């Protein structure tokens, strides 16, 4: 956005946060002004049209794709209920919109957040005023695209792939193996790790090297295969993790793991964890939440990285995707 548009949008957002006595109509006008100041062409329902749960509509590029977005503004200071989410979904279907953006001054109940969860990723965005600030910074109007370097284009493409897998997990097998490594590099970077994706040749058994804000190192090895991973790959990661002095190693295998690896390594006491396609999708869904400002991790990055994975002493896992 141009500087003057940014300044005007910020002023309106400040007013929304500061003035708790604004009427419902004034709040809607302020949100309309914010979106207009941000460069969106916003339209409102014509007078006399039945209220179907949409206060205004605009077009924009959401995650790189042009979409029609409906906006519902909840001006009361109480938390939005779960029923509001169902009504928003009904309104989206009735009007042919691509997405619903709900802006609530009072936040959202746990049930509302749950109902707008994984099964509706990419359809409903729940934002309060601070979230709306971040949302505007992340999404674009229909301006002419800027000239970008090849590296920038590749990074953008990998982020798009991660967002796609978050909502369509079964397409994970359509991703090329090298793109999977790059994709996960973008995911880890967005979640808060300092990330280095190693060159494909002579990577030394490390596909992605991570460092968390506390300075702890983690090693991620990615086996994006249809077949199951055997003992050799696990042993190599155990050795590399020990040699590099990493806090933990994570082996992600899209096709899962052969039963025999647990027979041969069950007594190994090494900080190595195993994850399958479900773990990769879970990471992409965490990335989605971080990108849309609907979620920030409550636990440490280490907990986020190793959640839903197995130690070598655990039973084997079979992918469900």
């Amino acid at each position: 956005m141009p500087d003057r548009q940014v300044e005007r949008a910020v002023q309106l957002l400040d007013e929304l946060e500061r003035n708790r006595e604004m009427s419902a109509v004034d709040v809607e006008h302020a949100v309309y002004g914010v979106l207009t100041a941000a460069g969106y062409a916003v339209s409102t329902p014509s007078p006399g049209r039945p209220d179907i749960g949409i206060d205004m509509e605009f077009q924009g590029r959401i995650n790189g794709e042009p979409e029609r977005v409906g906006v519902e503004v909840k001006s009361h200071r109480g938390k939005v209920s779960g029923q509001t989410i169902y009504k928003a979904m009904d309104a989206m279907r009735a009007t042919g919109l691509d997405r619903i953006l709900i802006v609530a001054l009072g936040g959202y109940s746990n049930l509302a957040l749950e109902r707008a969860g994984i099964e509706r990723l990419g359809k409903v965005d729940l934002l309060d005023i601070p979230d709306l600030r971040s949302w505007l910074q992340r999404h674009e109007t229909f301006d002419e695209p800027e000239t970008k370097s090849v590296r920038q284009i590749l990074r953008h493409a990998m982020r798009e792939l991660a967002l796609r897998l978050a909502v369509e997990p079964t397409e994970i097998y359509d991703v090329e193996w090298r793109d999977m490594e790059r994709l996960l590099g973008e995911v880890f970077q967005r979640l808060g790790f300092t990330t280095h994706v190693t060159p494909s040749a002579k990577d030394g058994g490390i596909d992605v090297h991570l460092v968390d804000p506390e300075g702890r190192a983690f090693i991620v090895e990615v086996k994006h295969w249809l077949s199951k991973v055997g003992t050799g790959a696990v042993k190599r990661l155990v050795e590399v993790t020990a040699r590099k002095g990493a806090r933990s190693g994570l082996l992600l295998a899209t096709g899962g793991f052969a039963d025999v690896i647990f027979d041969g390594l069950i007594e190994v006491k090494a900080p190595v964890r195993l994850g399958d396609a479900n773990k990769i999708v879970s990471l992409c869904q965490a990335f989605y939440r971080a990108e849309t400002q609907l979620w920030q991790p409550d636990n440490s990055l280490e907990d986020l990285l190793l959640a839903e994975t197995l130690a070598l002493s655990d039973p084997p896992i079979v992918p469900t995707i």
Side-chain angles (χ1 to χ4, degrees), residues 1-2 4-6 8-9 31-42 58-61 136 139-143:
M1 289 184 286
R4 281 185 293 180
Q5 289 182 339
V6 172
R8 179 57 181 156
V31 172
Y32 177 94
V34 169
L35 294 171
T36 301
Y40 294 105
V42 186
F58 67 91
Q59 286 194 331
R61 291 190 185 276
L136 288 170
H139 301 305
E140 307 167 358
T141 56
F142 282 112
D143 296 331

Side-chain angles (χ1 to χ4, degrees), residues 298-316:
D298 295 325
N299 300 321
S300 70
L301 289 182
E302 180 179 19
D303 291 338
L304 176 63
L305 177 67
L306 303 182
E308 305 171 61
T309 62
L310 295 180
L312 296 179
S313 57
D314 292 327

Side-chain angles (χ1 to χ4, degrees), residues 36-96:
T36 301
Y40 294 105
V42 186
S43 61
T44 56
S46 56
R49 177 180 171 181
D51 183 6
I52 60 171
I54 301 296
D55 293 318
M56 61 196 79
E57 176 186 330
F58 67 91
Q59 286 194 331
R61 291 190 185 276
I62 313 301
N63 299 326
E65 296 295 328
E67 292 188 359
R68 286 179 59 219
V69 183
V71 182
E72 176 70 356
V73 180
K74 297 299 181 184
S75 58
H76 57 82
R77 299 291 171 169
K79 294 184 181 297
V80 167
S81 69
Q83 189 63 30
T84 299
I85 309 304
Y86 283 136
K87 290 181 179 178
M89 293 295 293
D90 289 341
M92 185 178 70
R93 285 188 287 266
T95 56

Side-chain angles (χ1 to χ4, degrees), residues 150-305:
V150 171
R151 179 177 174 79
Q152 288 174 315
I153 292 170
L154 283 173
R155 291 194 64 188
H156 177 76
M158 294 307 104
R159 290 193 290 268
E160 290 296 304
L161 282 176
L163 292 168
R164 180 63 180 176
L165 292 186
V167 297
E168 294 293 345
T170 57
E171 294 184 6
I172 191 171
Y173 299 103
D174 294 332
V175 179
E176 295 290 337
W177 69 269
R178 185 56 177 166
D179 287 338
M180 181 61 73
E181 295 174 7
R182 296 190 184 103
L183 176 161
L184 287 168
E186 292 298 322
V187 166
F188 292 131
Q189 185 77 26
R190 179 64 182 88
L191 294 178
F193 289 99
T194 299
T195 304
H196 174 64
V197 179
T198 60
S200 56
K202 298 181 180 180
D203 61 16
I206 303 174
D207 288 327
V208 187
H209 185 269
L210 307 176
V211 179
D212 71 7
E214 286 73 41
R216 299 175 296 192
F218 301 86
I219 291 171
V220 180
E221 183 72 1
V222 183
K223 299 299 182 186
H224 187 46
W225 304 342
L226 292 176
S227 58
K228 296 182 183 297
V229 169
T231 307
V234 182
K235 285 183 175 179
R236 284 191 293 273
L237 182 58
V238 169
E239 294 169 359
V240 171
T241 301
R243 186 172 69 250
K244 296 294 184 179
R247 182 173 177 86
S248 185
L250 174 61
L251 179 57
L252 294 173
T254 311
F257 300 89
D259 294 347
V260 294
I261 69 168
F262 296 90
D263 296 336
L265 296 171
I266 195 169
E267 299 301 326
V268 174
K269 304 299 182 183
V272 168
R273 307 286 296 189
L274 310 178
D276 65 355
N278 297 297
K279 175 59 180 178
I280 295 173
V281 170
S282 177
L283 288 167
C284 290
Q285 290 170 344
F287 172 81
Y288 179 96
R289 295 187 185 94
E291 279 290 280
T292 55
Q293 297 296 308
L294 303 182
W295 170 89
Q296 291 295 332
D298 295 325
N299 300 321
S300 70
L301 289 182
E302 180 179 19
D303 291 338
L304 176 63
L305 177 67

